[in-house]
Structures are given as structure tokens and as C-alpha cells.
Amino acid sequence: MKKRGWVVLIQLSSTSLVSEGSKTRYKFPPLGLLYISSLLSLHGYKVHIIDLLSFGKNITYLLSRIAEIKRKYQNDPVLIGFTAYTENVDDVIIATREIKRIYSNSLVVVGGAHAKAAYEDILKEGTVDIVSLVEGEAHIIEILKYAEGLISIEEIRGIAYLDKDQPKVNERFFIKDLDLLPLPDFSNIRYSLYRQVGIIVTSRGCPGKCIFCASRQFSGSKYRAYSAERILAEMMFLYLYFKIKNFGIMDDTFTVLKERTRKFCTYLKKYGNNRFGYAIKSRVDLLNEETLSYLKETHCDAIHIGVESADNNVLKIMQKGTSLEKSLEVIEKIASYGITPECSFIIGNPGDTPKSIYKTLIMVFLLNKYFTLYPPAVVGICTPYPGTQLAINSERLGVNIIIKDYRRYDSTQPTFETKDFTLNFLRKVQWDFQRNPEDFIDRIRKEDSELGEFYNLLDGRIKAAEKYLKIRNKVKDTLNELSKISKT
């Protein structure tokens, strides 16, 4: 194989206010960069991944690390690539300025969800040569052929670049058959430095239309998925090479294709030999009795669903396509199969009022009160990420975006107001609830009898769901003990 140049792929940290605890919790391998690394390695390129996000390093460290690698090769990298999300995009721009000053002959490329939505803003900085508008694996080899003078920039599909100082976009496209992609290049990192959980993404694209989500902008509206065989192969690889036994399947919605879910569970029962535990994400409208029965038989420990709000009017404005009653029913069903329901919520949405926000926090509180193995409910603050309908149609939705600093777009801080709430109201509610949730809930129940009635209604439903889970787990433990006895 012809000897190729070397490439640097970078995941930057940011100076946002996300807590160190959150960074530790999400200390996972940079999966997107590992997919690109696999393709580049297959084509003869030497790839160096620099993950500053997981290890808290800064731009000074980045520059010294690239210089250190350069001494080995005695030439500049062919390509330096960054992944940009909203929190770190300002830091990415700062880094590209320094990179272009030192490595003027290297092609600087930026990809990621934020880059796809805000490519014009990134290009106008004048420090980025190409913005990737689609999945990096789809055109990374074309980009490198351009860097090596083999094709023109007009021939690269799915990119944006400056043409006579004006942004120009080449036709976008998405990979149809994901099974054609190689496994992520896990050999290019020290897996032992990350959390020992196998993080897998088995699909791309989303059929949902939630106004707060940019998934359609990032991966398209058409749902594309790995085969059940491919999913099991990746799990077995991580188990055999890194002894990984617990997996997080991070698809927004794992159970869209019912037959794929059934086949995956069948294979896992046959070849996984009961050695794996795993968790998935799904939607309220895509979990039925049949699917849950498959998942239960294969040690699915938890299912995450985006409940988002305890107010039906807010859910309608969010275009969530569900209701509070449906969410409660699915939470009960999940628990009845011995699986922990995990739920995420958002406050400060278009349509939210103080009362609807209080209702949502009541639901969060009760889920965490009864499902005590580990808190199953998390709550964030609605954020108008670029590319979302929330950001694009903010005026129509009655949203007044106050905070423009992207470093504060981390779903933990309010950034906009509506006629029904202010930034300071959201800050106070968030602080009071986090500081002492029980006192906060007791106070609002006493102040508003309607909220008291709502609390009692949810209390009965969620308490009953938690009892289902306990009963199922007792039965499971008993069967496991009987199995051990029979084997001896």
C-alpha cells in the first residue's frame, strides 16, 4: 500500500460551566473520531487522536502535542480535523487560528452537529478550509484526495467552503448502508483510561420532529440502522479485546425497527451467553409488550425515555407526539418487566408556565424518590441549539433569546425568556430544586392545592410502578439462585 501522510483528529474541551462531575460521568471514547480513524487507517493514513475533552487539557497542550508528533514525521499533517459542538465551538475557532498560524499547509476541517448548522459563521472566521455537512466517514477520503491535489474541491460531496469569500455548499448526502462501515478504531486509544462501558451507536437519523432536537439536522430525517448481526459483532469485539461486559446503546431511539430488535435479542441470548448487561434509549410510542419481553430476556437493565414535560400542552408545542398519560403507562410497563425506567425532562420550554414547570419537577422528584437504586430522572433547561426548530423559529414560538454566548449552551443554564417566565425565575427554581428537592416540592404543594392533587395522582402511579420492578427483580434473583443450585 502506498505510504500516506498523517492526520490529527481532535476533540476539544471547552470553558463552559459544565461540572467536573458531568465530565467524569461522560468520560467515553470519542466514537465519531474513531469511526473516521478506521477508514483512514484502511487507506494507509497514520491517525493521531487527541481527546482534550475527556482529560481536561487545553489548547497549549494541543499545540505541544501536535509539535511532538511532527518531530516524528518531519513534516506537517495533511489534515487537522476538529469536532465542534455548541459548547466548544468558540474554543474550536481559537484553536484553528493557532493551527493555521503554525501549520499553514495543513488542511483544517471542522465537523460535528454545530458545524453542520452554523457553517457560515465558522467559515467567515477565515481559519477553517472545509466544514463537513454530513457524516465524516462519507467523504473523509475525498477530502484527503483534495488535500493531496488529486481532485478539485468541487468534487467533494457534502461540504461547505469559501469560494471568492462567499460560503458555497456542495450537494449533501447520507450513507445508506451503515454495515459497510468498519468498526471504530478502538486500537487508537487507551480504552483503560475511559469509563469501562461499551458505548455503541447502532443507528443514525431520526423520524421525530421535536423542536428542541437537532438530530435531523445532524443525521437526516430518514432512520438508518446497523443490522442486528453488526451490533452483536461490535459488542463481542469490545468484550473479547477489552473485557467490556456492560454496554450503553446510545441511539436516540433503538427500537424503531421491531424485527431488528427481536433479532438482536435472539442473537444476544444465543451468543452473548448471559454475560452482558446493557441499557438503551427509546420513545414512549415505540415500546410495546412484545418488544419489552425481548429486552427483558436479554438482561436489558434500563430503558431511557424522553418524557420531557408533565404538561400536555407543553408536549404538544414541543411536537413530542406523546402525552403524560402515555408516559406513565410506559413507565409502568417497563418496570413490570423488571427493567429500570430512566426518564429525561426539560423545563423552560415554549409554552411552559410556572405551574407546568412545577408539575414537571414533581414528576422528577417522585421518580427519584421511589426508584432509589440510582436516580432515574434527570432534568435540563431548554436550550435553542443552532439547527433546531426552537432556534430557527424562535420568534414564532414566542422565544426571546437573551444569552448569545455558546459556552453557556450546555442545557444547565437558561438562555431565553418567554412571556411566562424570566431567566431569573428559571435560575431560582433550578437552584431551589437542586439544593433541597423535598422542601421545594412540599412548599409548592402547600401553596397550590391543584399541584397537591397532581402530586397525589403521580405518587400513586409511580409508587405502583416501583413495586412492579421490585417484584420482578425478586423473581429474577430467585430464578438465578435456583439455576446456580441446579448446576451444582
Side-chain angles (χ1 to χ4, degrees), residues 154-440:
E154 290 81 12
E155 295 177 77
I156 309 172
R157 300 166 296 166
I159 65 166
Y161 56 97
L162 289 179
D163 182 17
K164 298 177 182 178
D165 296 326
Q166 295 299 315
K168 184 175 180 180
V169 174
N170 291 356
E171 181 184 3
R172 303 189 192 206
F173 71 108
F174 292 103
I175 301 168
K176 292 182 179 179
D177 187 353
L178 297 182
D179 276 3
L180 295 175
L181 297 175
L183 292 178
D185 189 6
F186 294 113
S187 64
N188 206 357
I189 58 169
R190 290 178 61 187
Y191 209 108
S192 61
L193 297 179
Y194 294 87
R195 282 191 62 192
Q196 296 304 287
V197 176
I199 297 302
I200 298 175
V201 177
T202 76
S203 64
R204 301 181 187 182
C206 182
K209 298 179 181 179
C210 304
I211 66 171
F212 56 84
C213 180
S215 180
R216 290 164 70 92
Q217 171 77 23
F218 184 50
S219 300
S221 59
K222 185 176 180 180
Y223 186 83
R224 297 163 291 131
Y226 291 123
S227 64
E229 294 85 350
R230 161 64 189 248
I231 303 170
L232 183 68
E234 193 161 330
M235 293 175 76
M236 292 299 292
F237 177 87
L238 288 167
Y239 171 72
L240 293 171
Y241 281 86
F242 302 107
K243 308 305 179 188
I244 300 297
K245 295 182 180 180
N246 294 301
F247 295 86
I249 299 179
M250 304 304 289
D251 308 39
D252 289 334
T253 313
F254 179 70
T255 58
V256 171
L257 305 176
K258 188 168 70 173
E259 177 60 17
R260 185 185 79 132
T261 305
R262 185 196 67 77
K263 286 182 68 176
F264 165 73
C265 291
T266 300
Y267 290 142
L268 200 57
K269 282 178 66 177
K270 184 174 182 180
Y271 301 107
N273 197 26
N274 292 327
R275 62 169 64 96
F276 302 144
Y278 69 101
I280 67 167
K281 297 181 180 183
S282 189
R283 281 177 57 99
V284 168
D285 53 353
L286 289 171
L287 286 169
N288 55 30
E289 300 280 355
E290 184 180 5
T291 298
L292 287 169
S293 69
Y294 300 147
L295 297 168
K296 176 186 75 71
E297 292 173 0
T298 53
H299 297 283
C300 178
D301 300 316
I303 299 176
H304 174 278
I305 56 172
V307 177
E308 316 309 0
S309 176
D311 185 271
N312 286 332
N313 182 58
V314 175
L315 290 170
K316 184 177 180 180
I317 294 171
M318 296 169 85
Q319 297 181 195
K320 186 66 186 173
T322 186
S323 67
L324 173 61
E325 178 58 32
K326 288 179 182 176
S327 293
L328 288 169
E329 288 175 0
V330 167
I331 288 168
E332 290 168 343
K333 280 183 182 178
I334 293 171
S336 72
Y337 279 87
I339 302 171
T340 299
E342 295 181 345
C343 306
S344 59
F345 296 83
I346 305 172
I347 60 172
N349 305 286
D352 252 331
T353 63
K355 181 167 284 189
S356 68
I357 290 170
Y358 294 153
K359 288 167 66 178
T360 298
L361 293 176
I362 285 172
M363 190 168 181
V364 172
F365 172 78
L366 289 170
L367 283 165
N368 288 335
K369 175 182 176 181
Y370 288 113
F371 291 89
T372 55
L373 184 61
Y374 50 91
V378 294
V379 59
I381 292 182
C382 192
T383 305
Y385 290 104
T388 63
Q389 291 303 306
L390 179 61
I392 295 168
N393 296 315
S394 59
E395 187 174 344
R396 179 177 62 80
L397 291 165
V399 167
N400 179 22
I401 300 174
I402 306 294
I403 305 298
K404 310 287 186 176
D405 181 359
Y406 283 146
R407 288 188 176 95
R408 297 175 66 176
Y409 280 48
D410 57 15
S411 298
T412 69
Q413 306 172 73
T415 56
F416 68 82
E417 298 179 342
T418 72
K419 64 180 180 61
D420 295 305
F421 59 80
T422 64
L423 296 185
N424 285 337
F425 171 79
L426 286 178
R427 290 182 183 123
K428 186 175 188 315
V429 166
Q430 180 189 40
W431 168 253
D432 289 347
F433 182 73
Q434 290 179 346
R435 184 170 56 91
N436 195 323
E438 188 167 0
D439 284 355
F440 176 83

